[in-house]
Amino acid sequence: MSALKVRLMGWSTGRATTARVAPRAAGTVVLEDAAHLDALLASDAVDDDTMIFVPGAAGSAAEPGDGPELVPYEGSLAEPGTEFTHDPGFYLQIQAYGISEYMSIVGPTVVRVADEGDFEAYLNDADRAYEEGGFADFLTNPAIQLADLPALGAGPAGDGPGLRLHAGPSGTLSTSPGGTPLGTVGDGFGQLTEAWTRANERSDAPCAVCLGNAVPEPVRAAALAARPWLGRYLAAVQALRDLRARGIVVDGVSGFGERLVSGLADHGDPADTVHADRLLLLRAGEDLYAHEPRRGRSFRLGRDVAEAAEALLVCDSADVAASYVERARLDTVGERFGAAGLALTTRPLAAAGK
């Protein structure tokens, strides 16, 4: 993936693909009006590592390290129903969540929660997947990226002015088009960061900024509190995209309307529900796969291994999991996955009963 596409993905989703340690300026900025470029460049909100998307700009002639990289574009990255274009021949569709299931996907597409109706549609799809196992088909299309993930239950993951900024037509700055205003073009990076921090401190839910102008914060916070599994849901959606891109049609995801092991569906307070970055288990016919959210990789598993892994993930204890799968298999699978850096419980194996 090109550097430009990586920046676009991070800016759209609010999830950085590479960690930025203690950033001193925004990583990516999208301007809706080129008239704001000079004021932005005069501030310390950008530096030599910043990529700035500028409508109709001619591009930057500066050598690397001599200033921010300016990227010209046409269209919009903010308004649903529009298209972003960048030479040579890169197109990105922008769609609202609520109508996406009725639209044909013809290329790379960013789906936005643009208002409270879109947010309700997102929650309905998530509830259906969690309770019944049916995931919205459009959302698992590999060409789709869901915007503003931190505000939808994925957690903050470093989202803030250090990752991204959006300057609206009037010059108002936020982290996204539907975000709470943090300042205006020309404001300093420290000022913007402080405003972002204050906004988040006023809410109990992660990332109270990037959908602040699209969804009332009390509504969003209550919805996330009632669904602590949303991070897991979003990880499952990404896993489905990953396998679908490889031509693998997934029939079910463990923890979403089904379990591989008889009895685990009735296990109270399943531990894997609230850990978004834990291993996911997926079923495609008779084939079983595991997906590691942190590294974004998927691999095939045998049935015996997958069942033991599921029991450990759900129970978070080899002692408790032994009620569903024989202990010897649990210990073997737990040790092997742990040696590969894929812990199946939140405690050391010895503390889990060995």
Side-chain angles (χ1 to χ4, degrees):
M1 188 182 298
S2 70
L4 183 146
K5 291 180 181 179
V6 167
R7 292 294 188 102
L8 274 179
M9 181 181 296
W11 183 87
S12 298
T13 64
R15 299 295 296 270
T17 54
T18 56
R20 300 189 78 231
V21 180
R24 299 180 179 180
T28 306
V29 183
V30 172
L31 297 179
E32 291 290 323
D33 189 338
H36 297 128
L37 179 59
D38 288 344
L40 179 67
L41 292 174
S43 74
D44 70 350
V46 298
D47 62 14
D48 293 351
D49 295 325
T50 306
M51 183 176 287
I52 305 174
F53 289 85
V54 187
S60 174
E63 294 296 326
D66 287 348
E69 180 179 359
L70 306 186
V71 179
Y73 76 91
E74 301 293 336
S76 175
L77 279 165
E79 189 68 27
T82 60
E83 182 179 74
F84 165 91
T85 63
H86 168 72
D87 290 334
F90 176 72
Y91 300 88
L92 184 64
Q93 303 289 326
I94 313 299
Q95 287 184 183
Y97 191 101
I99 65 168
S100 289
E101 66 175 309
Y102 309 108
M103 306 292 287
S104 297
I105 306 299
V106 296
T109 303
V110 170
V111 173
R112 291 196 172 284
V113 169
D115 55 31
E116 196 171 350
D118 284 342
F119 187 61
E120 182 177 356
Y122 163 72
L123 294 175
N124 288 339
D125 284 343
D127 288 342
R128 188 178 306 111
Y130 186 66
E131 296 165 6
E132 304 172 11
F135 288 77
D137 183 71
F138 80 90
L139 200 56
T140 65
N141 190 312
I144 288 287
Q145 287 293 335
L146 186 58
D148 303 319
L149 292 173
L152 297 176
D159 184 35
L163 174 63
R164 58 177 182 158
L165 285 173
H166 169 262
S170 66
T172 300
L173 286 172
S174 188
T175 54
S176 71
T180 302
L182 301 176
T184 58
V185 173
D187 288 345
F189 182 71
Q191 180 179 346
L192 297 170
T193 301
E194 288 173 4
W196 182 82
T197 300
R198 286 195 302 271
N200 281 297
E201 288 174 344
R202 290 193 291 267
S203 177
D204 294 328
C207 195
V209 173
C210 65
L211 287 181
N213 269 7
V215 181
E217 183 55 21
V219 172
R220 189 191 71 90
L224 267 60
R227 299 168 177 83
W229 44 264
L230 277 174
R232 190 71 168 165
Y233 165 70
L234 291 170
V237 167
Q238 186 56 52
L240 290 167
R241 289 190 196 124
D242 178 73
L243 291 173
R244 186 169 168 180
R246 295 158 54 182
I248 299 170
V249 179
V250 173
D251 301 309
V253 181
S254 175
F256 292 84
E258 67 172 75
R259 292 291 188 184
L260 302 176
V261 178
S262 177
L264 280 176
D266 298 322
H267 182 80
D269 195 22
D272 61 339
T273 298
V274 296
H275 295 289
D277 60 350
R278 301 288 291 283
L279 204 69
L280 279 154
L281 302 174
L282 307 98
R283 177 179 57 81
E286 295 299 315
D287 297 328
L288 299 173
Y289 295 86
H291 178 82
E292 185 188 6
R294 285 180 297 176
R295 301 180 192 176
R297 60 172 180 159
S298 300
F299 49 93
R300 192 169 172 178
L301 295 177
R303 181 85 192 188
D304 287 350
V305 172
E307 288 179 350
E310 182 183 62
L312 289 168
L313 287 165
V314 172
C315 300
D316 201 32
S317 162
D319 285 341
V320 179
S323 299
Y324 304 97
V325 175
E326 59 268 24
R327 182 56 187 262
R329 186 164 28 134
L330 294 170
D331 289 343
T332 298
V333 170
E335 288 174 352
R336 290 179 179 176
F337 275 74
L342 299 171
L344 298 176
T345 65
T346 57
R347 65 194 74 184
L349 185 61
K354 183 163 182 175

